[in-house]
Amino acid sequence: MIGSVAKALDILTLFSKTHPVLTLAEISRRLEMPKSTAHHLITTLAAYGFIEQTDDGAYALGKSLIPLTQHVLVNVELRDRAAPLLRALADSCNESVYLTVRDGDAVLYIYAIESSQRLLARTAVGDRAPLYCTSVGKAVLAWLPPDEVECLLNTAPLNTYTPYTLTDPATLLGDLEATRQRGYSLDNQEHELNTFCVGAPIFKADGHVVGACSVSGRDPQIVEGRLPALAEQIVGTAQEISRHMGYVPAHMSMVRSRPQR
Amino acid sequence: MIGSVAKALDILTLFSKTHPVLTLAEISRRLEMPKSTAHHLITTLAAYGFIEQTDDGAYALGKSLIPLTQHVLVNVELRDRAAPLLRALADSCNESVYLTVRDGDAVLYIYAIESSQRLLARTAVGDRAPLYCTSVGKAVLAWLPPDEVECLLNTAPLNTYTPYTLTDPATLLGDLEATRQRGYSLDNQEHELNTFCVGAPIFKADGHVVGACSVSGRDPQIVEGRLPALAEQIVGTAQEISRHMGYVPAHMSMVRSRPQR
DNA sequence: GAACATCGTTTCATAATATGAAATCAAGTA
DNA sequence: TACTTGATTTCATATTATGAAACGATGTTC
């Protein structure tokens, strides 16, 4: 572990939604390093375009970070294979479509076709969301080995995001069982009010879940009248993506209980 | 400039479309540094998730890079303001819609609503394209100060991408003048065969062009029969984005000739 | 099946280099 | 005018990154 490099990366990860712009003094203060050290590091990061200086002399993340995402492994192996299938899906269902990968105790959004119905301005790509209260997260949880699920539920607390969030482990486990039976997951405003989603798991060649995709929107009919049609489409798309990942469908019972190594 | 940090960033930028996965030996060879040095740097980058190890022990860019993009300055200041307007545009024209910023002698794609008509699998977000042969690039060039345009044309050569690419400076300058007259730019397969685009410039508060947005697709009618309607929509959207950026529309003649400091 | 490549990983003495106190410059404020 | 609070630059010192070499693991060749 190289100290100066770690400090440079600490600076990059210090920028956040609430603090997209930071002054040198703030960086130095929050990371407990001398101003001059922070400045040396920032100068180097700025030379590569990873950090930019704002008009008023403060600092922010630079645009050179954006091209790097094109070569990130999951984007090459999963996103670029899934994208055409997801676009076709978005076309036929007229709602936002998302692609996520599991990242520890969260899902990371890596691709989105966002409909004009979307409530939030900013794209979901780059966001992390909990596993237990999103359709994509629950699709992952439902097909994860039981001991890993138990471990995850014991580690992180089940926070309440909306009145619909499932915060009782037993209820959640029941929902995951129902999800396995159905073959797809549901999110009835559990993470965000007025957002309804249907999700399905994506498997890689070794039989493990890598992530999930979902159809998401403000229309309550997504989890009501439109559900049968949407579920068939999202599950079909997820299966085809899995096949593109080299996954050979086995008996569902095998996949459900515990994927082999 | 801190040497070890620079070397770490050199490693990150070494990954490319053709080489998304690299072995330690390759990295060490191509950057002319001892294997052990590269290994020390990679270990640090891996601890932050910026690099991941593949199943066979080689290295690739890690997913932790993706969340960083949410806080990149242009994404916060431009993309997040433009996104809702661009989604509405995509909705009404049923083609791919792109948002780009100028980055030196190129445009960088920072947001996209990609239709199922798109030829390429992978998303455009993160791609760079030349200024002189894309609708977004030419929209930027047309509203850049003349001396800067001249400088750009003298520096980089005009490469041929398709038989339609404008490689003669005089012809290009004529096209830029026509673009200013019209208020929007056209791309008739100049960068990629079977891709037709209409683009419009986006200005920030100080009156300078920051980037451009475009409607893009495989339908030749985009630059023919559908052009009048599409042009009005893309120009209207670009103007509204500019207004969101704090730009106060002046007499077009002023903007055209040379934005003031 | 033994010898040989080639790859990733670890070690550790040494010299190179990051560090950070302090001085400086620039802008805004009382 | 004096006083903050920024960013920036300098430079002597000690910390720390460096890289030669050895190691272990895997796969290939003859």
Side-chain angles (χ1 to χ4, degrees):
Chain A
M1 178 79 76
I2 292 170
S4 53
V5 174
K7 284 176 196 163
L9 302 183
D10 282 334
I11 291 178
L12 288 182
T13 50
L14 193 63
F15 295 91
S16 62
K17 184 151 69 167
T18 50
H19 296 282
V21 176
L22 292 167
T23 64
L24 174 64
E26 277 173 326
I27 294 167
S28 143
R29 205 179 307 128
R30 305 220 350 226
L31 294 178
E32 294 177 342
M33 57 170 80
K35 269 201 310 180
S36 53
T37 302
H39 189 264
H40 282 135
L41 294 164
I42 289 170
T43 303
T44 310
L45 289 164
Y48 284 77
F50 286 16
I51 277 192
E52 285 170 1
Q53 204 156 18
T54 61
D55 300 327
D56 56 352
Y59 297 98
L61 291 179
K63 33 180 173 294
S64 298
L65 288 166
I66 303 173
L68 287 184
T69 60
Q70 284 284 29
H71 313 125
V72 167
L73 194 61
V74 280
N75 282 348
V76 174
E77 290 188 343
L78 175 57
R79 184 193 66 178
D80 292 349
R81 293 179 195 174
L85 304 168
L86 295 171
R87 287 189 208 121
L89 175 64
D91 229 28
S92 76
C93 69
N94 253 306
E95 296 287 353
S96 294
V97 166
Y98 296 109
L99 176 65
T100 63
V101 274
R102 184 199 168 187
D103 188 15
D105 65 344
V107 281
L108 173 65
Y109 287 76
I110 63 171
Y111 188 60
I113 300 110
E114 282 154 346
S115 89
S116 57
Q117 307 292 316
R118 183 176 157 85
L119 283 167
L120 290 101
R122 69 179 218 165
T123 180
V125 175
D127 280 347
R128 285 179 208 274
L131 288 175
Y132 64 90
C133 65
T134 53
S135 69
V136 278
K138 292 198 292 182
V140 169
L141 272 184
W143 275 274
L144 228 41
D147 53 347
E148 231 184 301
V149 176
E150 195 187 356
C151 178
L152 284 166
L153 294 185
N154 292 337
T155 318
L158 302 180
N159 295 316
T160 302
Y161 287 89
T162 75
Y164 298 94
T165 309
L166 306 180
T167 53
D168 173 51
T171 314
L172 179 61
L173 287 172
D175 186 66
L176 294 180
E177 180 54 36
T179 299
R180 275 187 292 272
Q181 299 292 336
R182 282 192 302 257
Y184 56 86
S185 60
L186 292 174
D187 169 10
N188 178 14
Q189 314 178 70
E190 292 165 34
H191 185 47
E192 210 176 298
L193 281 177
N194 295 313
T195 300
F196 307 86
C197 319
V198 193
I202 298 169
F203 304 94
K204 56 178 171 175
D206 66 2
H208 287 92
V209 242
V210 261
C213 53
S214 72
V215 170
S216 175
R218 305 164 60 177
D219 180 6
Q221 290 300 313
I222 288 173
V223 293
E224 299 283 344
R226 295 170 65 192
L227 182 56
L230 287 177
E232 199 193 321
Q233 290 186 84
I234 190 81
V235 169
T237 303
Q239 283 176 351
E240 201 173 335
I241 295 170
S242 297
R243 234 173 285 131
H244 282 234
M245 296 285 291
Y247 173 69
V248 181
H251 297 291
M252 280 309 271
S253 58
M254 287 180 65
V255 182
R256 271 184 210 152
S257 59
R258 181 188 294 255
Q260 49 259 55
R261 289 197 172 269
Chain B
M1 175 81 76
I2 291 169
S4 54
V5 174
K7 283 174 197 163
L9 302 184
D10 282 332
I11 291 178
L12 288 182
T13 50
L14 193 62
F15 295 90
S16 61
K17 184 151 71 168
T18 51
H19 296 282
V21 176
L22 292 167
T23 65
L24 175 64
E26 277 173 328
I27 294 166
S28 142
R29 205 179 307 128
R30 305 218 351 226
L31 294 178
E32 295 177 343
M33 56 171 79
K35 271 201 308 181
S36 54
T37 302
H39 189 265
H40 282 135
L41 294 163
I42 289 170
T43 303
T44 310
L45 290 164
Y48 284 77
F50 286 16
I51 276 192
E52 285 170 2
Q53 203 157 18
T54 61
D55 300 327
D56 57 351
Y59 296 99
L61 291 181
K63 34 180 172 296
S64 298
L65 286 166
I66 303 174
L68 288 184
T69 60
Q70 284 284 31
H71 313 125
V72 167
L73 194 60
V74 280
N75 282 348
V76 173
E77 292 189 341
L78 174 57
R79 183 194 66 177
D80 293 349
R81 293 180 195 174
L85 304 168
L86 294 172
R87 287 188 208 121
L89 175 63
D91 229 26
S92 75
C93 70
N94 253 303
E95 298 287 351
S96 295
V97 166
Y98 297 108
L99 176 65
T100 63
V101 273
R102 184 200 169 186
D103 188 16
D105 65 344
V107 282
L108 173 65
Y109 287 77
I110 64 171
Y111 188 60
I113 300 112
E114 282 153 348
S115 90
S116 57
Q117 308 292 316
R118 184 176 157 86
L119 283 167
L120 291 100
R122 68 179 219 166
T123 179
V125 174
D127 280 347
R128 284 179 208 274
L131 289 175
Y132 65 90
C133 63
T134 53
S135 70
V136 277
K138 292 196 293 182
V140 169
L141 272 185
W143 276 274
L144 227 41
D147 52 347
E148 233 184 300
V149 175
E150 196 188 356
C151 178
L152 284 166
L153 295 185
N154 292 338
T155 318
L158 303 179
N159 294 316
T160 302
Y161 287 88
T162 75
Y164 299 92
T165 310
L166 305 181
T167 53
D168 173 50
T171 314
L172 178 62
L173 287 172
D175 186 67
L176 295 180
E177 180 53 37
T179 299
R180 275 187 293 270
Q181 299 292 336
R182 282 192 301 258
Y184 57 87
S185 60
L186 292 174
D187 168 9
N188 177 17
Q189 314 178 68
E190 293 165 34
H191 185 45
E192 211 177 299
L193 281 177
N194 295 312
T195 300
F196 308 85
C197 319
V198 193
I202 297 169
F203 304 93
K204 55 178 171 175
D206 66 4
H208 288 92
V209 241
V210 260
C213 54
S214 72
V215 170
S216 173
R218 304 163 62 179
D219 180 5
Q221 290 301 313
I222 288 173
V223 293
E224 299 282 343
R226 294 169 66 191
L227 182 56
L230 288 177
E232 199 192 322
Q233 289 186 85
I234 190 80
V235 169
T237 303
Q239 282 176 350
E240 200 172 337
I241 295 170
S242 296
R243 233 172 285 129
H244 282 235
M245 296 285 291
Y247 173 69
V248 181
H251 295 291
M252 282 306 271
S253 59
M254 287 179 65
V255 182
R256 272 186 209 152
S257 58
R258 181 191 294 256
Q260 49 260 56
R261 292 198 171 270

